[in-house]
Amino acid sequence: MLMSMTGFGRGEMADERMKITVEMKSVNHRYLDLGIKMPRKLNAYEASVRSILKEYIQRGKVDVFVSCEEFADGSISLKYNRALAREYMDICRRMQEEFDLRQDAGVSMLARFPEVITVEQITEDDETVEKLLTGALRQACEGFVAVREKEGEQLKADLCAKLDHMLELVQKVEERSPQVVQEYRQKLTDKVRELLVDTSIDESRILTEVTIFSDKICVDEETVRLAAHIRNMKDYLQKGGAVGRKLDFIAQEMNREANTTLSKCNDLETSGIAIELKTEIEKVREQIQNIE
């Protein structure tokens, strides 16, 4: 299946204590570039997250956003540090005796001292958290891949239509080449006849000039290779998979053949066809940048 490099996916898993949500989106990129943003308490699972993402994605700049919501009931607790509170009180007593101060340290003041009372988050065990995270991630990846495949099919249909049109243009160049040679021969014959009114025309000389001209403008090799590249690209599109880099290389070769064809053109009509070919190849190259 052919896949686009742009897509979006979302997954969500929850139990009675927490909910993990994963959202991911991607754009074009030459390689696989993963950007993962998640809460600090989930950082231990980053390697596992990357491993799962690589199962679904081979190319593209992918941003993954993980959020974790812990429900209030039973998710936090208060801890009283008795030993630290005793140390604070001992210090207050020593200060009272040393400076002859009034002892006014009450419960409310003691509770405000750092670390005497702390709020602790009760988290799920590692296995449960990993199960929720993995489930949400795979759900997001599956939706992400589905979007990419849908866009990929649309790209394939558009590219195949462009490639078919390009084959028609190549065929026009091939059909036009013999006509250009024949027109040149007729033009050369007429010109010589005009200059040599009463003198017989040297047909062998005419034939030599036409042969030289024919070799100079011959694009048979270019059109054959260009047609082969177009058919090769269509084959890769039909096979699908991660073929974006191969298609980009083929498009470069197609552009090279079209440039050579244009440089050899000595005919306005053929030049127009070659320019249209180059335009279509450029459109194809732009579309290929979206393929994984």
Side-chain angles (χ1 to χ4, degrees), residues 209-222:
E209 290 295 330
V210 171
T211 302
I212 294 171
F213 176 78
S214 178
D215 288 339
K216 186 178 179 181
I217 69 163
C218 180
V219 292
D220 291 352
E221 291 183 12
E222 287 77 11

Side-chain angles (χ1 to χ4, degrees), residues 67-132:
S67 62
C68 179
E69 178 184 354
E70 296 186 88
F71 306 126
D73 294 341
S75 63
I76 58 173
S77 67
L78 297 177
K79 296 294 182 181
Y80 164 49
N81 192 329
R82 181 173 296 157
L84 187 60
R86 184 178 289 112
E87 287 187 30
Y88 277 128
M89 288 305 297
D90 288 342
I91 291 173
C92 286
R93 290 192 191 99
R94 290 203 300 268
M95 291 171 65
Q96 177 191 9
E97 293 171 359
E98 185 175 350
F99 298 105
D100 193 21
L101 299 174
R102 181 170 59 88
Q103 172 63 280
D104 60 354
V107 175
S108 60
M109 180 180 291
L110 183 61
R112 289 197 294 271
F113 286 148
E115 305 298 325
V116 173
I117 297 177
T118 56
V119 179
E120 291 190 0
Q121 198 82 24
I122 301 175
T123 59
E124 301 273 4
D125 62 272
D126 291 346
E127 186 177 344
T128 302
V129 172
E130 186 171 9
K131 183 178 179 181
L132 291 175

Side-chain angles (χ1 to χ4, degrees), residues 97-226:
E97 293 171 359
E98 185 175 350
F99 298 105
D100 193 21
L101 299 174
R102 181 170 59 88
Q103 172 63 280
D104 60 354
V107 175
S108 60
M109 180 180 291
L110 183 61
R112 289 197 294 271
F113 286 148
E115 305 298 325
V116 173
I117 297 177
T118 56
V119 179
E120 291 190 0
Q121 198 82 24
I122 301 175
T123 59
E124 301 273 4
D125 62 272
D126 291 346
E127 186 177 344
T128 302
V129 172
E130 186 171 9
K131 183 178 179 181
L132 291 175
L133 177 58
T134 300
L137 181 61
R138 289 194 180 277
Q139 190 181 108
C141 285
E142 287 167 6
F144 177 79
V145 169
V147 171
R148 285 182 131 201
E149 287 179 346
K150 184 178 179 181
E151 290 189 9
E153 288 303 301
Q154 293 173 349
L155 280 172
K156 182 171 77 171
D158 183 64
L159 284 169
C160 284
K162 285 183 170 60
L163 292 171
D164 288 338
H165 180 52
M166 286 167 59
L167 277 174
E168 293 174 0
L169 293 174
V170 171
Q171 187 176 357
K172 286 182 180 180
V173 172
E174 292 175 337
E175 292 172 352
R176 179 64 183 155
S177 293
Q179 296 175 20
V180 172
V181 174
Q182 184 60 37
E183 289 173 4
Y184 177 77
R185 175 169 184 159
Q186 186 60 49
K187 183 178 179 181
L188 185 62
T189 302
D190 292 344
K191 189 67 175 177
V192 171
R193 184 175 284 116
E194 181 182 337
L195 293 172
L196 306 174
V197 180
D198 297 323
T199 308
S200 61
I201 299 174
D202 187 352
E203 288 292 338
S204 62
R205 182 60 181 168
I206 294 290
L207 183 60
T208 301
E209 290 295 330
V210 171
T211 302
I212 294 171
F213 176 78
S214 178
D215 288 339
K216 186 178 179 181
I217 69 163
C218 180
V219 292
D220 291 352
E221 291 183 12
E222 287 77 11
T223 55
V224 168
R225 284 197 293 265
L226 191 49

Side-chain angles (χ1 to χ4, degrees), residues 17-44:
R17 286 189 175 180
M18 70 163 49
K19 178 175 70 175
I20 293 180
T21 303
V22 177
E23 292 185 349
M24 53 193 298
K25 62 180 182 178
S26 69
V27 293
N28 305 345
H29 198 271
R30 192 173 180 182
Y31 307 106
L32 177 59
D33 181 11
L34 298 175
I36 303 171
K37 294 182 180 179
M38 61 172 64
R40 185 180 301 174
K41 57 191 168 187
L42 298 180
N43 282 347

